[in-house]
Amino acid sequence: MKYHTVDLQGFQADLPILKLPSGISIAFFNLHGDSELTEHCAKKLAPLLTDCDVLITAESKGLQLTHCVARELNQRYYAVARKSKKLYMQDGIEVPFLSSITTGKEQTFYLSKHDVDLIKGKKVGIVDDVVSTGASLKGLEAVVEKAGGIIHKKAFVLAEADAADRKDVIYLASIPIFKD
């Protein structure tokens, strides 16, 4: 297997290069199960988000990152846009969005009433692992807007390919897309 090495502001990560069904290959970044990497990234992102009232992420890869960033910022709660509607979410909101580069299909984000109330009228920091095409980010932005929040910052560990040129996002490092 081939790897792409990225320096996450003092933490070196070797990302496996995986081929997607579309034919392109990506350096796959996965925070699941890596507490040291997650903690490092959270400590680097938190200072960039100190002026946010509340954070939001999408399940699932952004969950532990956002948890750690919220802890660094002394924020007890953060909002989670779920990809399936749970029983406790009957009085929340839902927003359909086009899929991310890795998922390849239309999806829906669901937000509980608790999280809608948490976001409403607040400066919201969107936190996730990777921004690439921006499809998932658009979905999160739509959720924040529908909930009455104010999108204040958009923070990621990695910006993939052209996303590194975006002026509306902050990130720790960039990675390329690999074409065969």
Side-chain angles (χ1 to χ4, degrees):
M1 179 174 287
K2 293 183 181 180
Y3 292 86
H4 176 76
T5 302
V6 63
D7 179 5
L8 299 166
Q9 298 185 8
F11 191 108
Q12 182 174 305
D14 296 321
L15 310 180
I17 299 174
L18 303 176
K19 190 170 194 156
L20 298 177
S22 64
I24 64 168
S25 296
I26 61 168
F28 184 70
F29 181 67
N30 185 11
L31 289 170
H32 286 315
D34 192 333
S35 60
E36 187 178 354
L37 176 60
T38 301
E39 292 287 345
H40 173 82
C41 293
K43 286 180 189 329
K44 295 295 182 180
L45 285 175
L48 306 174
L49 298 165
T50 56
D51 56 346
C52 295
D53 299 322
V54 66
L55 306 176
I56 188 172
T57 193
E59 72 174 354
S60 72
K61 291 195 318 184
L63 284 173
Q64 63 269 29
L65 175 65
T66 306
H67 176 92
C68 293
V69 172
R71 186 187 63 230
E72 290 292 316
L73 296 174
N74 293 313
Q75 294 181 3
R76 180 175 176 187
Y77 295 105
Y78 56 93
V80 179
R82 303 285 308 254
K83 293 180 182 173
S84 61
K85 191 173 188 175
K86 304 300 180 191
L87 187 59
Y88 69 92
M89 305 176 97
Q90 300 308 311
D91 54 355
I93 62 171
E94 56 187 73
V95 175
F97 69 100
L98 296 176
S99 70
S100 66
I101 191 171
T102 54
T103 308
K105 61 181 179 175
E106 186 173 291
Q107 295 182 315
T108 301
F109 278 141
Y110 301 90
L111 200 64
S112 69
K113 182 174 183 331
H114 173 272
D115 286 356
V116 169
D117 293 342
L118 184 65
I119 287 172
K120 189 174 184 175
K122 304 274 182 48
K123 293 187 297 184
V124 180
I126 295 172
V127 178
D128 211 347
D129 60 339
V130 179
V131 60
S132 184
T133 64
S136 295
L137 175 56
K138 283 182 185 175
L140 282 171
E141 290 171 321
V143 167
V144 171
E145 289 170 359
K146 188 169 183 177
I150 303 151
I151 299 165
H152 188 62
K153 290 197 175 160
K154 301 169 236 179
F156 301 87
V157 175
L158 294 170
E160 188 172 55
D162 293 343
D165 298 329
R166 293 179 62 147
K167 302 297 183 214
D168 65 327
V169 300
I170 51 179
Y171 55 90
L172 301 181
S174 62
I175 54 175
I177 287 180
F178 303 89
K179 299 184 178 161
D180 297 333

